[in-house]
Every structure is written in structure tokens, then in C-alpha cells.
Amino acid sequence: DHRSVPGGSVWLKETSEDKASCPTNTAGDARHDGTEADGLPESHHPDTRQDLTGLFIEKPVSGEVTVGENITFISKVSTINLLKKPTVRWFKGKWMDLAGKAGKHLQLKETYDRNTKVYTFEMQIIGAKPNYAGAYRCEVSSRDKFDSCNFDLVVHEARATEEFDIRAAFRRT
């Protein structure tokens, strides 16, 4: 690196300390065909943008449920470094805000532990139906801080009970 200073120029030698303080693009060079230099599509790389603010201390994880059963998704947020109480929003798909959908099949809960200063946010799906499957998102915000986490729900069909053929009882053997 060559820099000019009054009265001449100075050559600077880059040290490992300088490299550590300068952010670099470690994801690779993006190509125009939607892949990166390592050959994987951009969508197969982890989304690290969600970790920039780091409000979550526990993120909701993807889950599976059988039709008619219940499932609960949990997120936890520490308020030690927050000036204001965090607010949480749960979404299905890209835009459907689930706050207005709470009721018989969807319960949203919030608890606060004063000792650990941790808020626990829960979304409980009661009596899952096949159309509940899909992508979900949890967003947490507090003043100028924001964090988001994506997760999925897979709903399996109810296990078929062994059908009883009444004709078999009357067949002659």
C-alpha cells in the first residue's frame, strides 16, 4: 500500500492486525448466473444477515406435526442491552401477520423472567391442519434494533387406521 504524505511518500506494510480490523467479503464473488465462485447457488449459503443485531438468544426452529396435534415455536430475547421492551411479530409466508389470526387454533404468549431479564415469546398451533404447513418468520424489534428468523412447519397427514372390511367377516373359508 502506497500513501502520500506532505514532503514525500510512505510505503505501508499490511500486517495481520490490519487484516483483522478490515471486513472482507468471505462469501465469494457473485456471478451473473446466480451462483457464487464456489459453484453453489446463492440460496444455498446461510443467511448471515439475520445475525447482525443478534437480539435472539434462542430462535424458533423448524418443526413437524401430524394433523390434529399441537406444536409450539419459541423465541427468547435478552433485554440486558435494550432500552425498550422488545415487540415480536409472527408471520406466515412473506406477509401474513398472525397477530390477527390468534384464537382457537393459534395462541401467542409472552412471558418475562425478571431474574435473567429474558422475554420468552411463544406461538402455539393447536389442532394443526394441512394448510398450516409452510414458511414462517419471527421478527423482534426494540427501538433501532431489529432481528428476524425464518423457520418452516411440516404437517403430516394423520396415520390411516387399519380399515376393517365387514365383508371379510361373512366370507366362507
Side-chain angles (χ1 to χ4, degrees):
D1 190 12
H2 178 71
R3 296 198 183 151
S4 297
V5 293
S9 47
V10 176
W11 284 93
L12 299 174
K13 182 178 179 185
E14 188 176 31
T15 64
S16 61
E17 190 175 317
D18 293 331
K19 288 181 182 177
S21 64
C22 297
T24 58
N25 181 8
T26 57
D29 299 326
R31 296 182 183 167
H32 295 292
D33 63 356
T35 62
E36 294 193 6
D38 59 7
L40 290 174
E42 290 175 0
S43 63
H44 285 74
H45 288 279
D47 186 4
T48 56
R49 291 176 296 167
Q50 296 177 358
D51 299 326
L52 293 177
T53 57
L55 289 175
F56 288 109
I57 57 173
E58 182 181 323
K59 293 181 179 184
V61 293
S62 296
E64 297 183 359
V65 67
T66 303
V67 171
E69 293 181 353
N70 304 342
I71 187 168
T72 301
F73 295 98
I74 298 173
S75 68
K76 293 186 179 188
V77 177
S78 175
T79 59
I80 293 172
N81 297 324
L82 299 180
L83 301 172
K84 185 181 169 194
K85 174 187 177 247
T87 56
V88 68
R89 293 176 72 187
W90 299 90
F91 294 92
K92 182 172 191 301
K94 289 188 176 188
W95 308 110
M96 188 183 357
D97 190 345
L98 296 175
K101 306 287 184 191
K104 182 179 177 184
H105 292 284
L106 180 71
Q107 298 289 316
L108 303 175
K109 289 187 199 174
E110 169 185 311
T111 56
Y112 180 66
D113 184 343
R114 292 182 186 182
N115 297 328
T116 60
K117 297 187 179 184
V118 171
Y119 273 95
T120 302
F121 299 103
E122 296 181 11
M123 178 180 72
Q124 183 178 25
I125 295 175
I126 303 165
K129 295 180 180 177
N131 63 332
Y132 293 1
Y136 287 81
R137 184 173 75 248
C138 178
E139 292 182 356
V140 176
S141 59
S142 176
R143 278 218 168 143
D144 60 342
K145 295 185 179 191
F146 174 84
D147 204 353
S148 174
C149 177
N150 297 317
F151 57 98
D152 296 307
L153 173 62
V154 176
V155 179
H156 298 287
E157 289 293 327
R159 293 173 199 89
T161 57
E162 190 175 317
E163 292 186 26
F164 176 71
D165 185 4
I166 195 161
R167 293 174 297 173
F170 294 102
R171 281 194 190 126
R172 293 184 184 163
T173 55

